[in-house]
Amino acid sequence: MKHLVSIYNKIHHTGAIAFAAVMLMPAFYSCNTGKDEPKMPTPDIPGKPEATHYEGLENVVIPSGLASQIKEYTGFTLSFNKENRTPNYVAWELLGTEVGGSVSRTDNFWPDNDIDGCTKHSDYTGSGYDRGHMCPAADQKWSEQAMIDCFVMANMCPQLHDLNAGAWETLESKERLWAKRDSAVMIIAGPIYADGETYIEKSKVRVPDAFFKVLIAPYLDEPRGIAFVYPHAKCPGNMQDYATTIDEVEKITGFDFFSTLPDELEHKLESTYSFAEWNKQ
C-alpha cells in the first residue's frame, strides 16, 4: 500500500509520474517501428474533408519478451497477456457518430476460448474486485456485436469499485464528450504493474497497481494528445491531477504508442498536453 500512496502523492501534487523509474522497462521492441506514409483521405474518414487519415493507430509496439496475443474484436483491438491473465492494452477509435447509440448494455461476460489464459466470469467472483472494462460498454452502444464483444473477459482487469465507478468512469464519460466535439478520438487503455505481484488467489489473475489511458484527437486542424495515470485506489480530486504526457506513459510501460504517425506529429502529440484544451466545451 505504501507504493500506492507514493504514486498518488506524486501525481496529485506535481502532475508527474511517481513510479516511472520503478516500472521503466527495457526499450527493446518486438515490432518494426518504421513510419508508414499517411493515406489520402477517403469519404468515410471522420473530421474535416481535408483531414489526413493515419492507419495503424491501434497498433502498439511492446517490449520483446512480453507475452502478447493480439485479437481484433468489433470496435476494439487488444493484446492479451496469458501470464497476467489481463490485457497488456486495449485500443479503439471512438467516433462522435458512435456516441449515444441505442444498443442496451448486456452484462453478459464471456470467456474467449481462442485467447490463451483468458479468464471466465467466476474467476472474479468473491475477489473484491470489479470486472473492470478497459474498453467501456458505453462506447459500444452503436452496434449489437460491439456491445457483445466488449464483455469478453479478455477486455477486463481486476479493478476496485471505488475506482471503476469513480474517477475511471468519469474519464470514460469525458472521452465520449470529446469524441462528439472532435469528431473522433483514438484511445488506448491498460493496466500498469509495479514491482509487487498481487493476484486473485483462486484464479491467479494479476491485480494492477495502476491504470493508464492515452488519447489523441488526430483529425483536428491542431491535433492534440493527452494521457492519464490512475493509481489502483480511490482517486479523489480533479482529472487534471492525473493527467500527463503520452511520453511519460511510454516510459512507465515500455510501450510505443502511435508509431505510425509522422515523427514530427508523434513528437508533438506525445511530449506535451493541455488539459485546459481538452476540457473546453
Side-chain angles (χ1 to χ4, degrees):
M1 190 66 185
K2 182 177 180 181
H3 69 283
L4 288 177
V5 173
S6 174
I7 291 169
Y8 169 72
N9 288 340
K10 190 75 174 202
I11 293 175
H12 183 72
H13 292 299
T14 71
I17 307 300
F19 52 112
V22 176
M23 292 178 290
L24 184 60
M25 296 181 181
F28 298 106
Y29 298 135
S30 61
C31 302
N32 188 348
T33 59
K35 308 291 179 179
D36 294 327
E37 290 297 320
K39 293 192 175 182
M40 295 301 293
T42 59
D44 61 347
I45 291 171
K48 296 186 176 182
E50 67 276 14
T52 300
H53 183 61
Y54 300 102
E55 294 288 341
L57 295 180
E58 75 282 2
N59 298 329
V60 180
V61 183
I62 63 175
S64 60
L66 184 65
S68 173
Q69 182 178 347
I70 305 291
K71 184 163 182 179
E72 294 184 13
Y73 295 90
T74 305
F76 63 94
T77 299
L78 62 76
S79 162
F80 192 80
N81 188 314
K82 65 181 180 181
E83 296 172 357
N84 296 330
R85 304 194 72 195
T86 61
N88 292 313
Y89 65 82
V90 181
W92 68 104
E93 183 178 59
L94 180 62
L95 305 182
T97 56
E98 294 172 344
V99 175
S102 60
V103 175
S104 298
R105 181 184 172 103
T106 67
D107 285 316
N108 182 24
F109 295 89
W110 59 281
D112 187 341
N113 294 328
D114 293 333
I115 296 288
D116 191 10
C118 185
T119 54
K120 54 186 182 295
H121 183 277
S122 60
D123 287 334
Y124 284 64
T125 302
S127 67
Y129 295 101
D130 289 356
R131 300 164 187 85
H133 286 74
M134 293 297 96
C135 178
D139 285 8
Q140 305 300 315
K141 296 172 71 174
W142 55 276
S143 160
E144 289 186 1
Q145 188 59 53
M147 179 62 71
I148 291 169
D149 282 4
C150 82
F151 279 90
V152 65
M153 289 298 297
N155 183 38
M156 307 300 153
C157 287
Q159 203 168 50
L160 292 170
H161 185 73
D162 281 346
L163 177 61
N164 188 27
W168 193 251
E169 184 177 32
T170 299
L171 176 56
E172 291 172 343
S173 297
K174 279 288 188 181
E175 290 159 9
R176 290 186 282 276
L177 294 176
W178 295 339
K180 290 179 67 174
R181 181 195 62 196
D182 297 340
S183 80
V185 289
M186 188 69 203
I187 308 166
I188 305 176
I192 294 173
Y193 296 104
D195 52 344
E197 293 192 9
T198 302
Y199 294 86
I200 297 175
E201 185 174 354
K202 70 173 183 178
S203 54
K204 303 304 178 185
V205 181
R206 192 173 181 186
V207 178
D209 295 285
F211 295 89
F212 73 84
K213 276 196 175 177
V214 298
L215 304 93
I216 59 171
Y219 305 125
L220 303 177
D221 288 338
E222 291 292 332
R224 57 175 171 259
I226 196 169
F228 295 87
V229 173
Y230 285 96
H232 195 181
K234 185 175 183 178
C235 293
N238 299 316
M239 286 175 60
Q240 58 262 43
D241 297 331
Y242 305 93
T244 186
T245 65
I246 296 171
D247 276 346
E248 287 295 336
V249 175
E250 289 185 331
K251 290 178 184 177
I252 293 169
T253 60
F255 298 170
D256 183 9
F257 304 106
F258 311 124
S259 62
T260 59
L261 289 173
D263 286 329
E264 184 176 351
L265 179 58
E266 182 184 8
H267 175 73
K268 176 184 177 182
L269 296 184
E270 295 186 355
S271 63
T272 62
Y273 76 95
S274 170
F275 182 80
E277 285 296 317
W278 276 92
N279 207 37
K280 281 183 178 178
Q281 298 299 318

